[in-house]
């Protein structure tokens, strides 16, 4: 019988009290119903690694949905059940989510006189997972609380900082695991194990990637873009020939690597400032990954990655806007050009596009001014609105848009900072615009 190490002390040291309470409650509920309950996957891995992870995944040797309902009733919360997969999500009243899965007890009936054996169902559940480091379980029922269930040598692999699959058909079963291997390897600064690396190369040799749906590739790519260091993963993918395997146009040349390097820098800068709106990482990095691809070829990539129609339309539009803005920015000279001109160039562009422009600009003063735009200019608002224009006697009509636009321009250029200045300017503009309209009509 395997010896199970007890890590209750580490669990206690590395998790907040609220999480410890949840584990205890879940274990006690399991004991009450008579089912064994485990915390599993990344949650357990990250306890051993000493990395905070509050995504709690439970596996119940029993019925996960029933367990989830009773857990929610006990602690206060609601349940979203997926009966097809026998899984459920509990959303507790404080917003904490707990995923619950079912490991069914399976009985193997042998013919003739041999007895029926009960296979440990947690072992079956863990065996379906991707890597040893993700195939750990932690007992939480009272009496066995804190015992680490490690069938596949995960602790040793964590100690040796190795990503290893559980069996040799793993990548054939699911080639997206290749991208997951790279993601975990780079995130934890681990190494993909020797045999696992041979299996990856074998899977690539069998062209398993070409059979993979665009939706699944894109999903994994998005997870990669959400990592702290997406470029490290992309470079590893390039090194292994995975970019080409996804689509030949996606191969990373020096130019793209240089752009992606700059993108990571501006993205980190933006994250540090906690600015709004939030950046969607894949929308940013896909611009770098596809830099230099011609307009009539880009459809091959969006098609391969199975963009939705809207995603494709938005992406093409963004690329066009960036191209146009790059031209206009070449003519923008600090000290000579107005700030409002920069505002007009950048304002229609989503933040991912603006960060891309910043990363692409070679002139230091352009980068500096774009950063000014993101940090301050984009939020500028004027102190008067349509109601104010009405109150000072301006006849409502399309002229309002023109006047409010000009007030904004004036404010950005420092010519009408206060409400008072803006109202005066509005009156003046109204006179000028009305006069010019009249003269037009009189012609
Ligand atoms: P993260 O820290 O990125 O959330 P995680 O390990 O929790 O890491 P998830 O993608 O949330 O990763 O997956 C949860 C668990 O499901 C993993 O720990 C892994 O055991 C299992 N899993 C996810 N995807 C696969 C897959 N493609 N093949 C096998 N097992 C998988």
């Amino acid at each position: 019988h395997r010896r199970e190490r007890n890590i209750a002390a580490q669990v206690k040291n590395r998790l907040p009290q609220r999480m410890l309470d949840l584990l205890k409650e879940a274990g006690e509920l399991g004991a009450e119903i008579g089912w064994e309950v485990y915390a599993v996957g990344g949650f357990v891995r990250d306890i051993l690694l000493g990395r905070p992870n509050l995504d709690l995944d439970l596996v119940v040797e029993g019925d996960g949905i029933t367990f989830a309902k009773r857990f929610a009733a006990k602690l206060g919360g609601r349940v979203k059940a997926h009966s097809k997969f026998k899984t459920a999500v509990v959303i507790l009243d404080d917003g904490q989510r707990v995923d619950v899965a079912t490991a069914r007890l399976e009985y193997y009936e042998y013919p003739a006189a041999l007895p029926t054996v009960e296979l440990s169902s947690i072992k079956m559940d863990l065996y379906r997972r991707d890597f040893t480091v993700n195939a750990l379980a932690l007992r939480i029922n009272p009496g066995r609380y804190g015992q680490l269930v490690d069938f596949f040598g995960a602790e040793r692999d964590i100690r040796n900082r190795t990503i290893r699959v559980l069996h040799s058909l793993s990548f054939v079963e699911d080639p997206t695991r290749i991208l997951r291997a790279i993601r975990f390897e780079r995130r934890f600064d681990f190494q993909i194990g020797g045999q696992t690396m041979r299996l990856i190369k074998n899977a690539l040799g069998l062209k398993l990637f070409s059979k993979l749906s665009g939706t699944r590739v894109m999903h994994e790519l998005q997870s990669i873009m959400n990592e702290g260091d997406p470029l490290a993963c992309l470079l590893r993918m390039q090194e292994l020939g995975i970019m080409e395997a996804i689509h030949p146009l996606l191969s990373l040349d020096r130019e793209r690597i240089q752009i992606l390097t700059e993108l990571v820098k501006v993205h980190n800068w933006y994250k540090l400032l906690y600015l709004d709106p939030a950046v969607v990482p894949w929308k940013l990095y896909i611009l770098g990954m596809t830099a230099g691809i011609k307009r009539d070829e880009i459809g091959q990539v969006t098609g391969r990655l199975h963009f939705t129609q809207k995603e494709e339309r938005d992406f093409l539009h963004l690329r066009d806007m960036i191209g146009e803005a790059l031209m206009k920015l070449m003519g923008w000279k600090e000290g000579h050009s107005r700030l409002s001109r920069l505002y007009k160039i950048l304002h229609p562009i989503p933040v991912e596009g603006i960060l891309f422009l910043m990363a692409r600009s070679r002139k230091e003063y352009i980068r500096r001014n774009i950063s000014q735009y993101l940090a301050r200019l984009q939020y500028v608002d004027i102190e008067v609105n349509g109601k104010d224009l009405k109150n000072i006697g301006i006849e409502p009509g399309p002229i309002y848009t023109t006047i409010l636009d000009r007030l904004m321009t004036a404010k950005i250029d420092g010519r009408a900072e206060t409400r008072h200045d803006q109202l005066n300017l509005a009156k003046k503009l109204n006179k000028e615009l009305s006069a010019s309209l009249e003269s037009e009509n009189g012609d």
Side-chain angles (χ1 to χ4, degrees), residues 426-436:
K427 284 180 204 155
K428 193 167 144 243
L429 286 169
N430 181 43
K431 266 192 210 135
E432 285 173 19
L433 290 164
S434 313
S436 74

Side-chain angles (χ1 to χ4, degrees), residues 41-42 45 128-130 134 174 177 180 183-184 187:
R45 173 198 71 208
R128 282 196 296 268
R129 289 167 189 262
D130 45 8
N134 289 336
D174 179 1
R177 289 175 186 161
R180 293 177 61 83
R183 188 156 64 84
F184 291 122
R187 183 199 295 172

